[in-house]
Amino acid sequence: MTLSSEEITKHYTNAGDSVTLINSLVAQSSRSTEDNETIARNVRHLEVMVAKDFWTSENLEPFRTAITAGKAALPS
């Protein structure tokens, strides 16, 4: 399946929203169970998005960095 540049931009923007949310929650001094569930859900979303094969020249490094930070912040 081939996506238009507009569709790719939409996916990139949505994934960027997950990055922002993860980074915001990770930066908090304490988090609720709901916060941790939100981090986990958004990490999963980014993992799926990074694995997509439709990316062209988009910088996916912020996605990878947020995945790493999110996983590190979650309780074991």
Side-chain angles (χ1 to χ4, degrees), residues 32-50:
S32 67
T33 300
E34 183 178 338
D35 292 337
N36 288 332
E37 289 169 355
T38 299
I39 291 170
R41 187 172 50 253
N42 282 273
V43 164
R44 285 191 302 273
H45 173 237
L46 289 178
E47 288 174 328
V48 168
M49 296 313 294
V50 166

Side-chain angles (χ1 to χ4, degrees), residues 36-75:
N36 288 332
E37 289 169 355
T38 299
I39 291 170
R41 187 172 50 253
N42 282 273
V43 164
R44 285 191 302 273
H45 173 237
L46 289 178
E47 288 174 328
V48 168
M49 296 313 294
V50 166
K52 297 292 184 185
D53 64 359
F54 54 70
W55 300 116
T56 56
S57 62
E58 295 79 18
N59 179 10
L60 303 183
E61 196 54 36
F63 301 173
R64 292 182 186 99
T65 300
I67 289 167
T68 302
K71 285 182 172 181
L74 292 173

